[in-house]
Amino acid sequence: MSDQLLPASIQLSVMLCSTLFLTVSCVLITSAGSQKLHVVACEGSVAQLKCENGEVISVTSATYGRRDQQTCTAGRPANQITNVQCSRSSDSVGQSCNGKQSCSITAANSVFGDPCVGTYKYLEVEYTCQNPERKPQSGPTVACEGSVAQLQCDGGKVISVTSATYGRRDQQTCTAGRPANQITNVQCSRSSDSVGQSCNGKQSCSITAANSVFGDPCVGTYKYLEVEYTCQNPEKKPQSGPTVACEGSVAQLQCDKGEVISVTSATYGRRDQKTCTAGRPANQITNVQCSRSSDSVGQRCNGKQLCNVEASNSMFGDPCVGTYKYLEVDYICYAFLTG
């Protein structure tokens, strides 16, 4: 590993590394006994992420580029390793690998783009292995700047965010490969209500840890998002009937204060000759075998207290040209149970 050493800034209790061709894989064992795995793949090689014993991958950070002059330098001329201000965070590794037992990612410009033409780059990934059946939260969910926090509840339970902060509060979290000046400021954090607004009432939720989402509480410091949440049993409050909006109008889905929407079904088209027929000629309401189910209403409205959806071909496509259609939505309001 003479010229492919991992950055010296990783300070943990025990670090066990193995080298395979142009990749480096390390298991970082903290004093608490948890494992954080660190993989480096030089440009043109493949990063292999793997978990054992039925556990699945959870990516905490991934960057492509160059941040030092020690990693992936074998046989490279000086002009290809001089630029160490060349790195690009990537969500795509987490999107490709999260929830899988093993995953392969090629470290290449064709996958991540080229953050610095002429520089020889490498892919650096931090991840943990988790039990996919684990229901209770053992601690906060952390996502390094540029990666995605995955909030998940099982067994029909829904997310209830208790706190969310973006910034830096220590010199241990999300430090791999970062220079000292990017992790020194630990008085840098900003609380956020937006995570709860986006995720409460949903079974799963993804939030990008980025300045574009939360603002930048400390310019020049490498930050992370830290979210604490619980999984709660929702109280189901059924609607009295489906919400219907005739073509060209807007369906309004609404729950009472403290409750959130959960769409059970949504169809756009025509299934009878009684709904939305006022003033319409017979040829526009005859075809009753015209309907299209849609997931987009749930994607747009789940977890919100109020949601408006336009009943239109531009939103859902046209399942039957010439027929006057309507949007029909069934949904439930969930109220959180405490205690």
Side-chain angles (χ1 to χ4, degrees):
M1 290 182 59
S2 59
D3 57 354
Q4 298 199 18
L5 296 173
L6 293 179
S9 59
I10 304 176
Q11 301 294 331
L12 290 165
S13 303
V14 180
M15 181 162 61
L16 307 175
C17 297
S18 60
T19 306
L20 179 63
F21 298 108
L22 296 175
T23 64
V24 178
S25 178
C26 292
V27 178
L28 309 178
I29 305 176
T30 68
S31 57
S34 60
Q35 291 188 351
K36 181 181 290 184
L37 295 101
H38 187 269
V39 173
V40 174
C42 303
E43 184 175 346
S45 64
V46 177
Q48 301 281 354
L49 284 62
K50 188 174 182 180
C51 293
E52 306 290 348
N53 302 322
E55 294 186 324
V56 294
I57 295 164
S58 178
V59 175
T60 54
S61 70
T63 57
Y64 180 70
R66 176 164 293 279
R67 298 190 290 186
D68 62 56
Q69 291 187 325
Q70 290 79 47
T71 306
C72 294
T73 59
R76 294 290 159 178
N79 67 323
Q80 290 188 5
I81 61 171
T82 303
N83 183 3
V84 295
Q85 300 300 318
C86 153
S87 66
R88 176 177 291 168
S89 297
S90 173
D91 300 337
S92 63
V93 179
Q95 292 167 357
S96 297
C97 297
N98 285 344
K100 297 180 180 178
Q101 186 174 354
S102 63
C103 186
S104 300
I105 300 289
T106 302
N109 298 335
S110 59
V111 177
F112 299 99
D114 193 343
C116 42
V117 176
T119 294
Y120 186 62
K121 294 163 283 286
Y122 53 88
L123 172 65
E124 194 171 5
V125 182
E126 278 191 358
Y127 69 102
T128 59
C129 292
Q130 299 183 350
N131 184 341
E133 297 182 356
R134 186 180 61 197
K135 292 180 175 61
Q137 292 299 115
S138 58
T141 293
V142 175
C144 302
E145 185 175 346
S147 63
V148 177
Q150 302 282 354
L151 283 61
Q152 177 78 41
C153 290
D154 298 320
K157 294 185 178 182
V158 293
I159 295 164
S160 178
V161 174
T162 53
S163 70
T165 58
Y166 180 69
R168 176 164 292 279
R169 298 192 290 181
D170 62 55
Q171 290 188 324
Q172 288 78 48
T173 306
C174 294
T175 59
R178 293 289 161 178
N181 67 324
Q182 290 188 5
I183 61 173
T184 302
N185 183 3
V186 295
Q187 301 298 318
C188 153
S189 66
R190 176 177 291 169
S191 297
S192 173
D193 297 330
S194 63
V195 179
Q197 291 168 357
S198 297
C199 297
N200 284 344
K202 297 180 180 179
Q203 189 173 358
S204 63
C205 187
S206 300
I207 300 290
T208 302
N211 297 334
S212 59
V213 178
F214 299 100
D216 193 343
C218 42
V219 177
T221 293
Y222 186 63
K223 295 163 282 287
Y224 53 87
L225 173 65
E226 193 170 5
V227 183
E228 288 191 358
Y229 69 101
T230 59
C231 293
Q232 299 187 351
N233 284 313
E235 178 188 355
K236 295 182 180 180
K237 184 178 180 182
Q239 297 298 112
S240 58
T243 293
V244 175
C246 302
E247 185 176 346
S249 63
V250 175
Q252 185 173 86
L253 284 60
Q254 185 167 8
C255 293
D256 295 335
K257 185 177 180 180
E259 299 173 342
V260 292
I261 295 163
S262 177
V263 174
T264 54
S265 69
T267 57
Y268 179 69
R270 177 164 293 279
R271 297 192 292 182
D272 62 54
Q273 291 187 327
K274 304 179 184 64
T275 306
C276 293
T277 58
R280 294 290 160 177
N283 66 322
Q284 290 188 4
I285 61 173
T286 302
N287 183 3
V288 295
Q289 301 298 317
C290 154
S291 65
R292 175 177 291 168
S293 296
S294 174
D295 298 329
S296 64
V297 179
Q299 292 168 356
R300 176 187 292 260
C301 297
N302 285 345
K304 297 181 180 179
Q305 185 183 350
L306 173 67
C307 186
N308 295 324
V309 181
E310 184 182 1
S312 66
N313 297 333
S314 60
M315 179 68 67
F316 299 100
D318 193 343
C320 42
V321 177
T323 293
Y324 185 63
K325 296 164 282 288
Y326 54 88
L327 173 65
E328 191 171 5
V329 183
D330 276 296
Y331 68 101
I332 290 171
C333 290
Y334 281 108
F336 291 123
L337 289 175
T338 57

PDB file of all heavy atoms in Angstrom, residues 40 91 104 122 127 151 194 206 216 243 247 283:
ATOM      1  N   VAL A  40     -11.649   2.862  -1.460  1.00  0.00           N
ATOM      2  CA  VAL A  40     -11.085   3.776  -2.448  1.00  0.00           C
ATOM      3  C   VAL A  40     -10.820   2.997  -3.732  1.00  0.00           C
ATOM      4  O   VAL A  40     -10.218   1.912  -3.699  1.00  0.00           O
ATOM      5  CB  VAL A  40      -9.775   4.417  -1.953  1.00  0.00           C
ATOM      6  CG1 VAL A  40      -9.134   5.253  -3.055  1.00  0.00           C
ATOM      7  CG2 VAL A  40     -10.036   5.279  -0.723  1.00  0.00           C
ATOM      8  N   ASP A  91     -24.445  11.609  -5.132  1.00  0.00           N
ATOM      9  CA  ASP A  91     -25.567  10.870  -4.547  1.00  0.00           C
ATOM     10  C   ASP A  91     -25.769   9.525  -5.238  1.00  0.00           C
ATOM     11  O   ASP A  91     -26.457   8.649  -4.709  1.00  0.00           O
ATOM     12  CB  ASP A  91     -26.868  11.666  -4.690  1.00  0.00           C
ATOM     13  CG  ASP A  91     -26.808  13.017  -3.997  1.00  0.00           C
ATOM     14  OD1 ASP A  91     -25.988  13.164  -3.071  1.00  0.00           O
ATOM     15  OD2 ASP A  91     -27.573  13.913  -4.387  1.00  0.00           O
ATOM     16  N   SER A 104     -21.202  -2.895  -7.047  1.00  0.00           N
ATOM     17  CA  SER A 104     -19.984  -2.510  -7.753  1.00  0.00           C
ATOM     18  C   SER A 104     -20.205  -1.181  -8.465  1.00  0.00           C
ATOM     19  O   SER A 104     -21.204  -1.010  -9.158  1.00  0.00           O
ATOM     20  CB  SER A 104     -19.598  -3.587  -8.782  1.00  0.00           C
ATOM     21  OG  SER A 104     -19.373  -4.830  -8.152  1.00  0.00           O
ATOM     22  N   TYR A 122      -9.862   9.479  -8.163  1.00  0.00           N
ATOM     23  CA  TYR A 122     -10.253   8.249  -7.476  1.00  0.00           C
ATOM     24  C   TYR A 122     -11.620   8.444  -6.827  1.00  0.00           C
ATOM     25  O   TYR A 122     -12.054   9.568  -6.556  1.00  0.00           O
ATOM     26  CB  TYR A 122      -9.213   7.827  -6.428  1.00  0.00           C
ATOM     27  CG  TYR A 122      -8.833   8.889  -5.426  1.00  0.00           C
ATOM     28  CD1 TYR A 122      -9.548   9.069  -4.237  1.00  0.00           C
ATOM     29  CD2 TYR A 122      -7.734   9.716  -5.651  1.00  0.00           C
ATOM     30  CE1 TYR A 122      -9.190  10.044  -3.319  1.00  0.00           C
ATOM     31  CE2 TYR A 122      -7.366  10.699  -4.732  1.00  0.00           C
ATOM     32  CZ  TYR A 122      -8.092  10.858  -3.566  1.00  0.00           C
ATOM     33  OH  TYR A 122      -7.750  11.822  -2.656  1.00  0.00           O
ATOM     34  N   TYR A 127     -19.289   3.759   4.014  1.00  0.00           N
ATOM     35  CA  TYR A 127     -20.605   3.159   4.199  1.00  0.00           C
ATOM     36  C   TYR A 127     -20.615   2.276   5.436  1.00  0.00           C
ATOM     37  O   TYR A 127     -19.557   1.926   5.986  1.00  0.00           O
ATOM     38  CB  TYR A 127     -21.019   2.356   2.955  1.00  0.00           C
ATOM     39  CG  TYR A 127     -20.224   1.084   2.694  1.00  0.00           C
ATOM     40  CD1 TYR A 127     -20.741  -0.163   3.016  1.00  0.00           C
ATOM     41  CD2 TYR A 127     -18.975   1.124   2.078  1.00  0.00           C
ATOM     42  CE1 TYR A 127     -20.032  -1.322   2.764  1.00  0.00           C
ATOM     43  CE2 TYR A 127     -18.256  -0.023   1.815  1.00  0.00           C
ATOM     44  CZ  TYR A 127     -18.789  -1.257   2.156  1.00  0.00           C
ATOM     45  OH  TYR A 127     -18.084  -2.413   1.905  1.00  0.00           O
ATOM     46  N   LEU A 151     -34.337   8.041   5.679  1.00  0.00           N
ATOM     47  CA  LEU A 151     -35.163   7.779   6.855  1.00  0.00           C
ATOM     48  C   LEU A 151     -36.162   6.687   6.487  1.00  0.00           C
ATOM     49  O   LEU A 151     -36.823   6.771   5.450  1.00  0.00           O
ATOM     50  CB  LEU A 151     -35.898   9.045   7.298  1.00  0.00           C
ATOM     51  CG  LEU A 151     -35.099  10.122   8.056  1.00  0.00           C
ATOM     52  CD1 LEU A 151     -33.958  10.670   7.232  1.00  0.00           C
ATOM     53  CD2 LEU A 151     -36.029  11.257   8.478  1.00  0.00           C
ATOM     54  N   SER A 194     -37.401  21.848   8.088  1.00  0.00           N
ATOM     55  CA  SER A 194     -37.790  21.375   6.761  1.00  0.00           C
ATOM     56  C   SER A 194     -37.761  19.849   6.645  1.00  0.00           C
ATOM     57  O   SER A 194     -38.501  19.274   5.850  1.00  0.00           O
ATOM     58  CB  SER A 194     -36.888  21.989   5.687  1.00  0.00           C
ATOM     59  OG  SER A 194     -35.546  21.585   5.847  1.00  0.00           O
ATOM     60  N   SER A 206     -36.130  10.626   1.744  1.00  0.00           N
ATOM     61  CA  SER A 206     -34.733  10.908   1.415  1.00  0.00           C
ATOM     62  C   SER A 206     -34.506  12.424   1.438  1.00  0.00           C
ATOM     63  O   SER A 206     -35.277  13.169   0.844  1.00  0.00           O
ATOM     64  CB  SER A 206     -34.373  10.360   0.026  1.00  0.00           C
ATOM     65  OG  SER A 206     -34.567   8.959  -0.027  1.00  0.00           O
ATOM     66  N   ASP A 216     -25.815  27.699   4.130  1.00  0.00           N
ATOM     67  CA  ASP A 216     -24.449  27.392   4.562  1.00  0.00           C
ATOM     68  C   ASP A 216     -24.157  28.097   5.886  1.00  0.00           C
ATOM     69  O   ASP A 216     -23.868  29.282   5.920  1.00  0.00           O
ATOM     70  CB  ASP A 216     -23.454  27.834   3.495  1.00  0.00           C
ATOM     71  CG  ASP A 216     -22.066  27.264   3.732  1.00  0.00           C
ATOM     72  OD1 ASP A 216     -21.801  26.816   4.862  1.00  0.00           O
ATOM     73  OD2 ASP A 216     -21.255  27.266   2.788  1.00  0.00           O
ATOM     74  N   THR A 243     -62.349  11.725  -3.403  1.00  0.00           N
ATOM     75  CA  THR A 243     -62.326  13.098  -3.890  1.00  0.00           C
ATOM     76  C   THR A 243     -62.289  13.051  -5.414  1.00  0.00           C
ATOM     77  O   THR A 243     -61.449  12.358  -5.994  1.00  0.00           O
ATOM     78  CB  THR A 243     -61.095  13.838  -3.355  1.00  0.00           C
ATOM     79  OG1 THR A 243     -61.232  13.978  -1.938  1.00  0.00           O
ATOM     80  CG2 THR A 243     -60.960  15.211  -3.993  1.00  0.00           C
ATOM     81  N   GLU A 247     -62.128  17.022 -15.327  1.00  0.00           N
ATOM     82  CA  GLU A 247     -61.010  17.454 -16.169  1.00  0.00           C
ATOM     83  C   GLU A 247     -60.947  18.986 -16.256  1.00  0.00           C
ATOM     84  O   GLU A 247     -61.949  19.645 -16.525  1.00  0.00           O
ATOM     85  CB  GLU A 247     -61.155  16.852 -17.563  1.00  0.00           C
ATOM     86  CG  GLU A 247     -59.980  17.147 -18.484  1.00  0.00           C
ATOM     87  CD  GLU A 247     -60.096  16.453 -19.835  1.00  0.00           C
ATOM     88  OE1 GLU A 247     -60.942  15.531 -19.980  1.00  0.00           O
ATOM     89  OE2 GLU A 247     -59.348  16.836 -20.756  1.00  0.00           O
ATOM     90  N   ASN A 283     -71.082  11.697 -26.888  1.00  0.00           N
ATOM     91  CA  ASN A 283     -69.854  11.067 -27.386  1.00  0.00           C
ATOM     92  C   ASN A 283     -68.646  11.310 -26.479  1.00  0.00           C
ATOM     93  O   ASN A 283     -67.635  10.643 -26.607  1.00  0.00           O
ATOM     94  CB  ASN A 283     -69.549  11.558 -28.810  1.00  0.00           C
ATOM     95  CG  ASN A 283     -69.209  13.033 -28.859  1.00  0.00           C
ATOM     96  OD1 ASN A 283     -69.803  13.835 -28.144  1.00  0.00           O
ATOM     97  ND2 ASN A 283     -68.262  13.400 -29.708  1.00  0.00           N
TER      98      ASN A 283
END
